[in-house]
Amino acid sequence: MDAQALKDSWHQVSRSGDQVPLYFYSALFLMYPETRNMFPVSMAHQRDRLVGALGHIVSNVDRVNELVPFLQQLGRDHRKFSVVADHYPAVGRALLATLEHFLGDRWTPALAQAWTQAYDLVAQVMVEAAAEAAKTTPPWWEAEVISHELRTLETAVIRARMKYQYPFQPGQSASVSVVKRSGRWRYYSMANAPRQDNTIDLHVRMVDGGAVSTALVLGTRRGDILRLGAPVGDRLTLRPDMPGDLLLIAGGTGLAPLKALVEQAIFGGPGRKVDLIVGARTSRDLYDLDTLTKMDAEQPWLTVTPAVSHDPFYRGNRGYAVDVALQSWRGQEVFVCGSEEMVRATVARLLDAGVPADQIHFDEFTSERGLES
Ligand SMILES: Cc1cc2nc3c(=O)[nH]c(=O)nc-3n(C[C@H](O)[C@H](O)[C@H](O)COP(=O)(O)OP(=O)(O)OC[C@H]3O[C@@H](n4cnc5c(N)ncnc54)[C@H](O)[C@@H]3O)c2cc1C
């Protein structure tokens, strides 16, 4: 498979922006009208997400070790949409028709063959992973909300009890849907390591006009039912070859997966020193500080430091979390999570300060991942 040809042609196609997903879905629904029901009535966000996922796949097409786990997770996760093996060829044909349309003369038989091979491989990995998961796990898991705390005007901490066991790794996320608001799925990170009592915590910040975050922050109560897709993500999970100390840098609800790593360290017993820097614009936004301060007091190897960037009267550390974090850097593995801007700026600053790239692990809370509705 000619990986460079795939990347180059994708790069050219994606220059046509919104036209690409528009064409793709028109082709798909025209050729296979039965697929229309699988997608939401309003397709605006769906379009962006498809392009985001395809872009990720194509840009990693020559890194099989990274791509295969991503596709397997995507395959398992997409069982929640009742995506069955029969739909993959339909999507493949619509994709090839889209590429042909946007590439014009550059769409040669050799390129068509390279794309067909690549897509078949992607579909095969996803279908196999979904089929394997179907032997032992449901397409989604249900959880009952047992507490809902509005910690700031726009941030809620939700605890839910999974109705049956939900295996995941600290640092992973799951697509979540609020059953009474039906049908929309967004990713949220589990803010805890797996617990004996099957509870999970979610930290949700409401975004302006956001469908699911608003439902979770303002519209959800004790007793409501959530659905979770299969856990996804490995950017913020600890690998066995990372035995050392950790420096965690959180922006806003980016705290969630990093707090899960703190819990993992607690359950794993002493041995790892953990520095957690919690960034917020104002002290009011430090929505989980009481719990974190308590953890800090109980665990001698844990240091929690809040950093407030936009409050000149704040008495503690003022400035961006990364600047405070750099004062504590002594060769640890660094984990960063927050908004896209926060993560981009933080990683750039860490690299500038000489932190080796292979010791920086990060993920951002974008609105694009997978093919969510
Ligand atoms: C792997 C992953 C893990 C995540 N974990 C968390 C988490 O633990 N806690 C959490 O609060 N969020 C998390 N997010 C973000 C979350 O998935 C949603 O994107 C967010 O809650 C908005 O969803 P919505 O349905 O309310 O907004 P939508 O209806 O999807 O969007 C409404 C508007 O808000 C914009 N928008 C969407 N998402 C964001 C965003 N994150 N920041 C700013 N503007 C946005 C959209 O472009 C759109 O204009 C995570 C995202 C990913 C990819």
Side-chain angles (χ1 to χ4, degrees):
M1 190 192 322
D2 185 345
Q4 200 52 47
L6 292 179
K7 286 184 190 183
D8 291 347
S9 52
W10 179 252
H11 184 66
Q12 189 186 334
V13 169
S14 49
R15 279 200 216 126
S16 299
D18 285 352
Q19 294 301 313
V20 180
L22 192 65
Y23 189 95
F24 168 82
Y25 281 107
S26 308
L28 181 67
F29 298 155
L30 206 64
M31 290 192 278
Y32 304 95
E34 69 280 11
T35 57
R36 181 65 189 93
N37 287 341
M38 290 165 55
F39 295 92
V41 180
S42 157
M43 294 286 296
H45 293 304
Q46 185 72 26
R47 291 185 181 139
D48 289 337
R49 290 193 165 100
L50 174 84
V51 176
L54 281 176
H56 180 81
I57 291 168
V58 176
S59 30
N60 286 287
V61 76
D62 45 358
R63 278 180 273 173
V64 175
N65 287 349
E66 287 168 42
L67 191 57
V68 167
F70 173 79
L71 293 173
Q72 288 171 329
Q73 288 183 354
L74 214 56
R76 288 192 287 266
D77 180 28
H78 278 69
R79 292 180 58 222
K80 67 182 188 254
F81 290 133
S82 320
V83 177
V84 290
D86 300 353
H87 293 127
Y88 283 89
V91 170
R93 274 179 217 120
L95 176 65
L96 294 186
T98 307
L99 294 163
E100 181 174 4
H101 174 80
F102 287 97
L103 286 168
D105 291 348
R106 286 195 58 202
W107 185 245
T108 59
L111 193 58
Q113 200 191 353
W115 270 100
T116 307
Q117 270 179 5
Y119 180 79
D120 287 351
L121 202 68
V122 165
Q124 190 191 339
V125 174
M126 288 179 67
V127 168
E128 282 175 7
E132 192 55 37
K135 290 181 191 159
T136 51
T137 58
W140 63 73
W141 282 253
E142 286 198 338
E144 180 178 342
V145 174
I146 55 173
S147 72
H148 182 286
E149 293 176 32
L150 203 54
R151 297 269 179 95
T152 73
L153 286 178
E154 66 233 349
T155 309
V157 172
I158 300 170
R159 180 161 293 182
R161 192 185 307 282
M162 305 302 297
K163 291 194 174 167
Y164 20 96
Q165 239 192 348
Y166 183 68
F168 66 94
Q169 290 179 55
Q172 285 195 301
S173 310
S175 46
V176 176
S177 155
V178 183
V179 166
K180 67 182 183 188
R181 302 288 161 121
S182 84
R184 290 169 190 246
W185 296 85
R186 299 287 182 271
Y187 288 99
Y188 294 94
S189 309
M190 278 67 77
N192 59 290
R195 296 178 182 139
Q196 296 271 345
D197 67 0
N198 269 347
T199 58
I200 55 149
D201 293 345
L202 302 176
H203 296 184
V204 185
R205 183 174 165 275
M206 190 162 64
V207 306
D208 257 0
V212 177
S213 63
T214 308
L216 284 168
V217 173
L218 296 184
T220 300
R221 303 276 172 273
R222 213 182 133 99
D224 285 347
I225 302 296
L226 307 179
R227 280 184 183 156
L228 273 78
V232 295
D234 56 10
R235 296 188 195 170
L236 297 177
T237 53
L238 291 182
R239 293 195 313 261
D241 63 335
M242 289 177 192
D245 297 343
L246 306 178
L247 175 58
L248 313 176
I249 310 175
T253 46
L255 170 64
L258 304 185
K259 193 176 176 191
L261 297 186
V262 173
E263 275 203 18
Q264 182 177 24
I266 293 178
F267 296 155
R272 229 190 246 285
K273 281 209 171 65
V274 181
D275 281 89
L276 169 63
I277 317 296
V278 190
R281 288 174 67 82
T282 70
S283 55
R284 277 195 311 277
D285 300 322
L286 292 165
Y287 65 88
D288 204 32
L289 194 58
D290 288 351
T291 325
L292 294 172
T293 308
K294 196 162 164 270
M295 285 166 108
D296 180 334
E298 286 168 0
Q299 311 290 344
W301 46 264
L302 172 67
T303 309
V304 177
T305 312
V308 167
S309 58
H310 288 72
D311 181 352
F313 302 108
Y314 182 64
R315 296 228 179 124
N317 285 295
R318 287 199 297 268
Y320 289 111
V322 64
D323 295 315
V324 176
L326 280 168
Q327 295 166 21
S328 311
W329 192 67
R330 36 172 205 284
Q332 308 99 309
E333 297 288 325
V334 185
F335 285 76
V336 184
C337 189
S339 68
E340 250 176 309
E341 302 86 43
M342 178 270 177
V343 171
R344 205 176 307 128
T346 302
V347 171
R349 179 86 181 82
L350 290 168
L351 290 170
D352 256 8
V355 179
D358 62 356
Q359 275 176 247
I360 306 175
H361 313 274
F362 59 93
D363 203 3
E364 61 278 298
F365 285 175
T366 59
S367 50
E368 289 177 25
R369 179 73 62 89
L371 312 175
E372 305 313 287
S373 63

Coordinates of all heavy atoms in Angstrom, one line a residue, residues 57-94:
I57 N -7.0 8.5 10.6 CA -6.7 7.2 10.1 C -5.6 7.3 9.0 O -4.6 6.6 9.0 CB -7.9 6.4 9.6 CG1 -8.8 6.1 10.8 CG2 -7.6 5.2 8.8 CD1 -10.2 5.6 10.4
V58 N -5.9 8.2 8.1 CA -5.0 8.3 6.9 C -3.6 8.8 7.4 O -2.6 8.3 6.9 CB -5.6 9.2 5.8 CG1 -4.6 9.4 4.7 CG2 -6.8 8.7 5.3
S59 N -3.6 9.7 8.3 CA -2.3 10.3 8.7 C -1.5 9.2 9.5 O -0.3 9.4 9.7 CB -2.3 11.6 9.4 OG -3.5 11.7 10.2
N60 N -2.1 8.2 10.0 CA -1.4 7.1 10.7 C -1.3 5.8 9.9 O -0.9 4.8 10.5 CB -2.0 6.9 12.1 CG -1.8 8.0 13.0 OD1 -0.7 8.1 13.5 ND2 -2.8 8.8 13.2
V61 N -1.6 5.9 8.6 CA -1.7 4.6 7.9 C -0.4 3.8 7.8 O -0.5 2.6 7.7 CB -2.3 4.9 6.5 CG1 -1.3 5.5 5.6 CG2 -3.0 3.7 5.9
D62 N 0.7 4.5 8.0 CA 2.0 3.8 7.9 C 2.5 3.4 9.3 O 3.6 2.9 9.5 CB 3.0 4.5 7.1 CG 3.1 6.0 7.5 OD1 2.2 6.4 8.4 OD2 3.9 6.7 7.0
R63 N 1.6 3.7 10.4 CA 2.0 3.4 11.7 C 1.0 2.3 12.3 O 0.1 2.7 13.1 CB 2.1 4.6 12.6 CG 3.4 5.4 12.4 CD 3.4 6.6 13.3 NE 2.8 7.7 12.6 CZ 2.6 8.9 13.1 NH1 2.8 9.1 14.4 NH2 2.0 9.8 12.4
V64 N 1.2 1.1 11.8 CA 0.2 0.1 12.1 C 0.0 -0.1 13.6 O -1.1 -0.3 14.1 CB 0.6 -1.2 11.4 CG1 -0.3 -2.4 11.7 CG2 0.6 -1.0 9.9
N65 N 1.1 -0.1 14.3 CA 1.1 -0.3 15.8 C 0.1 0.6 16.5 O -0.5 0.3 17.5 CB 2.5 -0.2 16.4 CG 3.3 -1.4 16.0 OD1 2.8 -2.4 15.5 ND2 4.6 -1.3 16.3
E66 N 0.1 1.9 16.0 CA -0.8 2.9 16.6 C -2.2 2.8 16.0 O -3.2 3.0 16.7 CB -0.2 4.3 16.4 CG 1.0 4.5 17.2 CD 1.8 5.8 16.9 OE1 1.1 6.8 16.6 OE2 3.0 5.7 16.9
L67 N -2.3 2.5 14.7 CA -3.6 2.6 14.0 C -4.5 1.4 14.5 O -5.7 1.6 14.7 CB -3.3 2.6 12.5 CG -4.6 2.9 11.7 CD1 -5.1 4.3 12.1 CD2 -4.2 2.9 10.2
V68 N -3.9 0.2 14.5 CA -4.8 -0.9 14.8 C -5.5 -0.8 16.1 O -6.7 -1.0 16.2 CB -4.0 -2.2 14.7 CG1 -4.7 -3.4 15.2 CG2 -3.6 -2.5 13.2
P69 N -4.8 -0.5 17.2 CA -5.6 -0.3 18.5 C -6.7 0.8 18.4 O -7.8 0.6 18.9 CB -4.6 0.1 19.5 CG -3.3 -0.3 19.0 CD -3.4 -0.3 17.5
F70 N -6.4 1.9 17.7 CA -7.4 2.9 17.5 C -8.6 2.4 16.7 O -9.7 2.6 17.1 CB -6.7 4.1 16.7 CG -7.7 5.2 16.3 CD1 -8.1 6.2 17.2 CD2 -8.2 5.2 15.0 CE1 -9.0 7.2 16.8 CE2 -9.1 6.3 14.6 CZ -9.5 7.2 15.5
L71 N -8.4 1.6 15.7 CA -9.5 1.1 14.9 C -10.3 0.1 15.7 O -11.5 0.0 15.6 CB -9.0 0.5 13.6 CG -8.4 1.5 12.6 CD1 -7.7 0.7 11.4 CD2 -9.4 2.4 12.1
Q72 N -9.6 -0.7 16.5 CA -10.3 -1.7 17.3 C -11.2 -1.1 18.3 O -12.3 -1.5 18.4 CB -9.2 -2.6 18.0 CG -8.5 -3.6 17.0 CD -7.4 -4.3 17.7 OE1 -6.8 -3.8 18.6 NE2 -7.1 -5.5 17.2
Q73 N -10.7 0.0 18.9 CA -11.5 0.7 19.8 C -12.7 1.3 19.1 O -13.8 1.3 19.6 CB -10.7 1.8 20.5 CG -9.7 1.2 21.5 CD -9.0 2.3 22.3 OE1 -9.1 3.5 22.0 NE2 -8.2 1.9 23.3
L74 N -12.5 1.9 17.9 CA -13.5 2.5 17.2 C -14.6 1.5 16.8 O -15.8 1.7 16.9 CB -12.9 3.1 15.9 CG -13.5 4.4 15.3 CD1 -13.5 5.5 16.4 CD2 -12.7 4.9 14.1
G75 N -14.1 0.3 16.4 CA -15.1 -0.8 16.0 C -15.9 -1.2 17.2 O -17.1 -1.3 17.1
R76 N -15.3 -1.4 18.4 CA -16.0 -1.8 19.6 C -17.0 -0.7 20.0 O -18.1 -0.9 20.3 CB -15.1 -2.0 20.7 CG -14.3 -3.3 20.6 CD -13.5 -3.7 21.9 NE -12.4 -2.8 22.2 CZ -11.2 -3.1 21.8 NH1 -10.9 -4.2 21.1 NH2 -10.2 -2.3 22.1
D77 N -16.5 0.6 20.0 CA -17.3 1.7 20.4 C -18.5 1.9 19.5 O -19.6 2.2 19.9 CB -16.4 3.0 20.3 CG -17.1 4.2 20.8 OD1 -18.0 4.1 21.6 OD2 -16.7 5.3 20.3
H78 N -18.3 1.6 18.2 CA -19.4 1.9 17.2 C -20.5 0.8 17.3 O -21.6 1.0 16.6 CB -18.9 2.1 15.8 CG -18.4 3.5 15.7 ND1 -17.3 4.0 16.3 CD2 -18.9 4.6 15.0 CE1 -17.2 5.3 16.1 NE2 -18.1 5.6 15.3
R79 N -20.3 -0.2 18.1 CA -21.4 -1.1 18.3 C -22.7 -0.4 18.9 O -23.8 -0.9 18.7 CB -21.0 -2.3 19.2 CG -19.9 -3.1 18.6 CD -19.5 -4.3 19.5 NE -20.7 -5.1 19.9 CZ -20.9 -5.5 21.1 NH1 -20.0 -5.3 22.1 NH2 -21.9 -6.3 21.4
K80 N -22.4 0.7 19.6 CA -23.6 1.4 20.2 C -24.5 1.9 19.1 O -25.7 2.2 19.4 CB -23.1 2.5 21.1 CG -22.4 3.6 20.3 CD -21.8 4.7 21.3 CE -21.3 5.8 20.4 NZ -19.9 5.9 20.3
F81 N -24.0 2.1 17.9 CA -24.9 2.6 16.8 C -25.5 1.5 16.0 O -26.1 1.7 15.0 CB -24.1 3.4 15.8 CG -23.6 4.7 16.3 CD1 -22.2 5.1 16.1 CD2 -24.4 5.6 16.9 CE1 -21.8 6.3 16.6 CE2 -24.0 6.9 17.4 CZ -22.6 7.2 17.2
S82 N -25.4 0.3 16.5 CA -25.8 -0.9 15.8 C -25.2 -0.9 14.4 O -25.8 -1.2 13.4 CB -27.4 -0.9 15.6 OG -28.0 -0.6 16.7
V83 N -23.9 -0.5 14.3 CA -23.2 -0.6 13.0 C -22.9 -2.0 12.7 O -22.2 -2.7 13.5 CB -21.9 0.2 13.0 CG1 -21.2 0.1 11.7 CG2 -22.2 1.7 13.3
V84 N -23.5 -2.6 11.7 CA -23.3 -4.0 11.4 C -22.3 -4.1 10.2 O -22.1 -3.2 9.4 CB -24.6 -4.8 11.1 CG1 -25.4 -4.9 12.4 CG2 -25.4 -4.1 10.0
A85 N -21.7 -5.3 10.1 CA -20.7 -5.6 9.1 C -21.1 -5.2 7.7 O -20.4 -4.7 6.9 CB -20.3 -7.0 9.2
D86 N -22.4 -5.3 7.4 CA -23.0 -5.0 6.1 C -22.8 -3.6 5.7 O -22.8 -3.2 4.5 CB -24.5 -5.3 6.0 CG -24.7 -6.8 6.3 OD1 -23.8 -7.5 6.4 OD2 -25.9 -7.1 6.4
H87 N -22.7 -2.7 6.7 CA -22.7 -1.2 6.4 C -21.3 -0.8 5.9 O -21.2 0.2 5.3 CB -23.1 -0.4 7.6 CG -24.5 -0.6 7.9 ND1 -25.0 -0.9 9.2 CD2 -25.6 -0.6 7.1 CE1 -26.3 -1.1 9.2 NE2 -26.7 -0.8 7.9
Y88 N -20.3 -1.5 6.3 CA -18.9 -1.1 6.0 C -18.7 -1.0 4.5 O -18.1 0.0 4.0 CB -17.9 -2.0 6.7 CG -17.7 -1.7 8.1 CD1 -18.5 -2.3 9.1 CD2 -16.8 -0.7 8.6 CE1 -18.4 -2.0 10.4 CE2 -16.7 -0.5 9.9 CZ -17.4 -1.1 10.9 OH -17.3 -0.8 12.2
P89 N -19.1 -2.0 3.7 CA -18.9 -1.8 2.2 C -19.6 -0.6 1.7 O -19.1 0.1 0.8 CB -19.5 -3.1 1.6 CG -19.5 -4.1 2.7 CD -19.7 -3.3 4.0
A90 N -20.8 -0.3 2.2 CA -21.5 0.9 1.7 C -20.7 2.2 2.0 O -20.6 3.0 1.1 CB -22.9 1.0 2.4
V91 N -20.2 2.3 3.2 CA -19.4 3.4 3.6 C -18.2 3.5 2.7 O -17.8 4.6 2.2 CB -19.0 3.4 5.1 CG1 -18.0 4.5 5.4 CG2 -20.3 3.6 5.9
G92 N -17.6 2.4 2.4 CA -16.4 2.3 1.6 C -16.7 2.8 0.1 O -15.9 3.6 -0.4
R93 N -17.8 2.4 -0.4 CA -18.1 2.8 -1.8 C -18.4 4.3 -1.8 O -17.9 5.0 -2.7 CB -19.3 2.0 -2.3 CG -18.8 0.7 -2.9 CD -19.9 -0.1 -3.5 NE -19.5 -1.5 -3.2 CZ -20.2 -2.4 -2.5 NH1 -21.4 -2.0 -2.0 NH2 -19.8 -3.6 -2.3
A94 N -19.1 4.8 -0.8 CA -19.3 6.3 -0.8 C -18.0 7.0 -0.6 O -17.8 8.1 -1.2 CB -20.3 6.6 0.4

